[in-house]
Amino acid sequence: MADDTPLIAAHADWSMDPRKRWVSIARRRGGEWRAEAPRPVGDPAALVAALLAEGVPVVLGLDLPLGLPRGHAATRREADFPAFLRGLTGSPDFFLVSPTLATVGPERPFYPARGLRGMTRAAHAAALGLAGPAALNRWCDLATPERPAGAPLFWTLGANQTGKAAISAWRDWLAPALSVGAPLRLWPFQGGLHALLAPGRAVLAEVYPAEALRHLGLRLSGSKRVPEVRRAAAPELRAALARLRVRAGAPLRRAIEEGFGADAPGEDRFDSLLGLLCVVAVLDGARPDFVPDDPWVRRWEGWVLGQTALPEGWGDKIPPDPAFSLELH
């Protein structure tokens, strides 16, 4: 797609708590992007509908898992992850977080509801019928030379809360929307990013702000939770905006200089802009639309937009299983 084709790029930093969900939006006109300050996501379906009403293709990055670990996917009868999501409206128990391993299983995989003495990811994996704790991860969750590992999808404990973010997005928005034919397409399961672009359609892609931070060349002096650390990153953020031909409106420029605010959601607003710049970079070709040539990744596990680094020794971390045959589906 030509660089001057009108587009909308957005990224929503997701959380179980709606107050911590923030979205940054940019519009491309005449080969230049104009970006707005982060704002609350609100109702995600209403957000997407409003963007689609502008009549141009929309790409929405999401800081939440889109995909299933291949070990779990091997137990499913659906053809791929989008088909699985569509069918979740008829499986409400899938989203119930188990308080103990006694109720964990393929049809109720999320665990634990709270911290318990002696619980381990190895026991969680065993309850799901997986070969070991590494099988709880998708390939894109594993550590790479560029960033640390992400949290396993079905694990719901700790600050990361990947599992809880997936539950809230899949149960309350994506599964219902897909089941009634909403104009959503999921990258990379349904094609390459540029091939999926079309007016009246929103392309959803998983984005990892920690990955985007490194792609943009930002080096933080401490935790992103600290406003002073985010303020110190302002010069590098401005440089990244300039490289990507993204013009920041006055409210966004102020937000950058102020470190996105001193309140708790400040880090979420910061992450929403990092994710937005990742989406823009891939749309404009500054980062490749890369997906490993692996059928499990392309049909079930998904990938992180803009990620090109592969996990080191991934074949040793995800044990091979003779049952992993796509012919089963």
Side-chain angles (χ1 to χ4, degrees):
M1 183 166 287
D3 284 350
D4 60 353
T5 303
L7 287 176
I8 295 176
H11 177 261
D13 193 63
W14 202 263
S15 171
M16 192 75 173
D17 183 351
R19 295 171 298 180
K20 288 179 63 62
R21 298 176 193 163
W22 290 80
V23 61
S24 289
I25 301 169
R27 293 167 175 81
R28 190 172 76 184
R29 296 285 191 276
E32 182 181 71
W33 293 91
R34 293 180 178 269
E36 303 173 356
R39 72 189 201 203
V41 169
D43 177 3
L47 169 68
V48 171
L51 296 176
L52 290 175
E54 298 186 31
V56 302
V58 173
V59 178
L60 174 59
L62 296 169
D63 181 16
L64 58 90
L66 293 176
L68 291 176
R70 61 189 65 194
H72 185 79
T75 70
R76 306 297 311 183
R77 294 184 177 275
E78 298 88 355
D80 54 24
F81 179 69
F84 159 79
L85 266 187
R86 285 195 297 272
L88 282 180
T89 53
S91 304
D93 287 354
F94 182 85
F95 297 110
L96 298 177
V97 180
S98 290
T100 70
L101 289 170
T103 53
V104 170
E107 300 303 321
R108 189 175 170 180
F110 290 98
Y111 170 83
R114 63 185 184 279
L116 297 172
R117 183 184 297 275
M119 65 183 184
T120 66
R121 289 183 180 176
H124 184 199
L128 289 171
L130 301 176
L136 292 167
N137 295 286
R138 300 172 298 155
W139 191 0
C140 62
D141 295 327
L142 300 176
T144 76
E146 296 182 356
R147 61 151 172 84
L153 166 63
F154 297 132
W155 188 260
T156 55
L157 194 66
N160 193 298
Q161 297 188 339
T162 298
K164 292 180 180 179
I167 290 171
S168 66
W170 295 5
R171 179 192 61 201
D172 302 336
W173 171 36
L174 292 177
L178 292 171
S179 70
V180 296
L184 306 176
R185 296 294 184 273
L186 303 183
W187 175 91
F189 311 100
Q190 295 173 295
L193 192 68
H194 293 85
L196 291 173
L197 298 177
R201 176 188 296 171
V203 182
L204 308 184
E206 182 174 348
V207 174
Y208 190 19
E211 182 90 23
L213 182 80
R214 290 159 174 82
H215 296 168
L216 295 169
L218 271 68
R219 297 291 183 269
L220 301 183
S221 59
S223 171
K224 67 179 180 180
R225 293 189 175 93
V226 180
E228 291 77 14
V229 171
R230 299 193 299 266
R231 283 198 293 271
E236 292 177 282
L237 260 182
R238 291 196 302 269
L241 288 163
R243 286 196 306 272
L244 293 171
R245 296 177 300 157
V246 178
R247 179 175 295 182
L252 176 55
R253 293 198 301 271
R254 286 195 299 271
I256 291 172
E257 298 305 320
E258 294 169 0
F260 297 87
D263 56 343
E267 67 169 309
D268 307 305
R269 294 188 283 267
F270 177 71
D271 278 350
S272 76
L273 180 60
L274 296 180
L276 171 66
L277 295 181
C278 172
V279 174
V280 166
V282 177
L283 284 171
D284 278 2
R287 295 287 303 181
D289 180 13
F290 173 79
V291 183
D293 188 15
D294 178 290
W296 286 103
V297 168
R298 292 174 178 267
R299 289 180 60 175
W300 279 103
E301 287 198 330
W303 195 244
V304 175
L305 189 68
Q307 178 177 337
T308 57
L310 301 179
E312 295 180 337
W314 75 272
D316 298 327
K317 296 178 181 178
I318 302 181
D321 187 326
F324 284 6
S325 170
L326 289 175
E327 294 177 0
L328 292 174
H329 302 290

